[in-house]
Amino acid sequence: MTALLTNNLPLLAGAPNGIKKLRELILELAVRGKLVPQDRSDEPASELLKRIAEEKTRLVAGEGLRTTAREDVPEDEHYFELRRGWAYSRLGNLARFIDYRGKTPTKTKSGTPLITAKNVRIGFISREPREFIDEESYISWMTRGFPRQGDMLFTTEAPMGNVALIDISERFALAQRVICFQLHELQIGPFLKLAIMSTGFQAQLLDAATGMTATGIKSSRLKEIPVALPPLAEQHRIVTKVDELMALCDRLEAQQADAESAHILLVRALLDSLALATDFATSWQRLAEHFHTLFITESSIDALKHTQ
């Protein structure tokens, strides 16, 4: 499957919205275990989940952890058939939820950075817009827990379902509408991010959401959504392959942008020469012979419409 994708990337990317659809396809193949070969020597995900359960039990007893979900994931909640060594777990059993709801402290021009739902994009954290709260507000606000590098941020509303790994080393505060998943095993973060971004998880998210004007998800429902996890070694291979293929998509996207810019310049030059031509009929005939290759984008057609 990987070779088929790699060999046909330019063809797939050239279709309408091709690169966007290609990224979605790569992600979907990845989280279903169809992007890299399996290794029978990999420790099964069931063993990984046992260690995660042990850490969860320790946190419940020692730190009063409250984020827990039902243990069983019956077959009618499986959104695809698992591959060998994979296992389902509910999101609430993989992480502590640090959920800051309520009124966000007053923002200031400087101080401790504030990460809001606007900063959490699809797969990454943007530092724009930059907002801050003062030291006193930080101390009184951040009482439910502190996010760590490698944990995940998830937007519960406006927008709902964006997820990113925390790569910020400095201290920061979380605003409302953002949940921090403090993972019981940090190594699952990169794959779990892909799983949450996938159409299968996002469809479950929509099913569990509430609200009419502003759709959102409650923590009590979010923690019960199941996630399919591969063996940890396979997770690493999948994430590496996704990074490789997404980088190829980035290059194709850049090439397309360059090609489109060159195409626009060519069309404009040809239309300008047509407008200035003394023998319009002959010039138009030459242009018409290449019509099907020149006027294939909205911008080129608009330019043709405005040619006098």
Side-chain angles (χ1 to χ4, degrees):
M1 180 61 74
T2 303
L4 182 64
L5 264 178
T6 304
N7 293 337
N8 291 281
L9 276 176
L11 178 63
L12 294 168
N17 284 325
I19 293 181
K20 179 177 182 293
K21 293 177 181 177
L22 185 57
R23 291 185 193 276
E24 292 172 355
L25 175 61
I26 291 168
L27 186 59
E28 204 58 30
L29 291 173
V31 301
R32 291 174 180 262
K34 297 182 179 180
L35 205 56
V36 299
Q38 291 196 287
D39 186 336
R40 290 185 177 275
S41 66
D42 288 345
E43 178 189 73
S46 57
E47 294 301 312
L48 169 65
L49 291 178
K50 285 180 183 177
R51 293 194 296 274
I52 289 174
E54 289 172 359
E55 175 63 10
K56 186 185 74 172
T57 300
R58 184 190 70 79
L59 291 171
V60 168
E63 300 183 23
L65 173 69
R66 295 182 180 181
T67 308
T68 58
R70 287 176 290 146
E71 297 291 341
D72 65 309
V73 183
E75 284 193 13
D76 63 355
E77 292 188 59
H78 293 190
Y79 47 97
F80 64 86
E81 186 177 349
L82 292 177
R83 303 204 75 190
R84 184 186 68 248
W86 288 46
Y88 272 105
S89 176
R90 298 187 187 278
L91 189 58
N93 291 325
L94 300 175
R96 177 204 302 265
F97 283 20
I98 303 177
D99 187 1
Y100 281 89
R101 294 183 184 268
K103 187 177 180 181
T104 302
T106 302
K107 297 168 187 176
T108 56
K109 292 183 178 180
S110 62
T112 301
L114 180 68
I115 299 299
T116 74
K118 291 178 287 187
N119 298 110
V120 183
R121 310 294 175 82
I122 301 175
F124 69 98
I125 299 172
S126 170
R127 300 308 297 271
E128 298 295 336
R130 291 185 177 270
E131 298 178 309
F132 305 90
I133 60 174
D134 60 31
E135 180 68 17
E136 184 178 347
S137 297
Y138 174 81
I139 294 170
S140 62
W141 176 253
M142 295 293 290
T143 57
R144 301 180 188 179
F146 300 94
R148 311 166 301 181
Q149 277 191 284
D151 286 336
M152 305 179 72
L153 297 184
F154 178 90
T155 58
T156 59
E157 182 184 343
M160 180 182 72
N162 285 0
V163 63
L165 290 172
I166 297 174
D167 58 358
I168 302 172
S169 57
E170 65 182 306
R171 185 180 71 171
F172 66 91
L174 283 177
Q176 58 181 330
R177 306 201 318 273
V178 179
I179 289 181
C180 175
F181 298 154
Q182 200 158 72
L183 302 171
H184 301 325
E185 169 54 76
L186 281 174
Q187 290 191 73
I188 71 172
F191 179 84
L192 185 59
K193 181 189 76 172
L194 300 181
I196 292 174
M197 290 166 58
S198 71
T199 56
F201 186 94
Q202 291 289 320
Q204 294 181 90
L205 189 62
L206 285 173
D207 287 342
T210 58
M212 297 295 290
T213 54
T215 303
I217 182 75
K218 297 178 179 178
S219 295
S220 58
R221 292 192 175 191
L222 179 61
K223 71 179 183 179
E224 298 293 339
I225 297 179
V227 180
L229 291 178
L232 191 56
E234 189 174 348
Q235 290 184 36
H236 296 329
R237 294 196 297 274
I238 290 170
V239 170
T240 298
K241 180 55 66 175
V242 168
D243 288 345
E244 174 190 323
L245 292 174
M246 291 301 183
L248 285 174
C249 288
D250 291 341
R251 292 205 290 274
L252 285 170
E253 205 162 36
Q255 290 170 9
Q256 281 190 358
D258 290 342
E260 287 172 6
S261 296
H263 180 264
I264 290 170
L265 291 174
L266 174 62
V267 168
R268 285 177 179 169
L270 288 171
L271 290 177
D272 287 345
S273 66
L274 178 64
L276 297 172
T278 55
D279 187 352
F280 182 87
T282 301
S283 298
W284 172 254
Q285 182 58 40
R286 289 174 181 169
L287 193 63
E289 291 173 1
H290 302 283
F291 196 92
H292 64 291
T293 57
L294 289 171
F295 302 102
I296 56 175
T297 64
E298 287 186 16
S299 59
S300 61
I301 293 171
D302 285 342
L304 178 60
K305 290 177 180 177
H306 290 92
T307 300
Q308 300 296 325

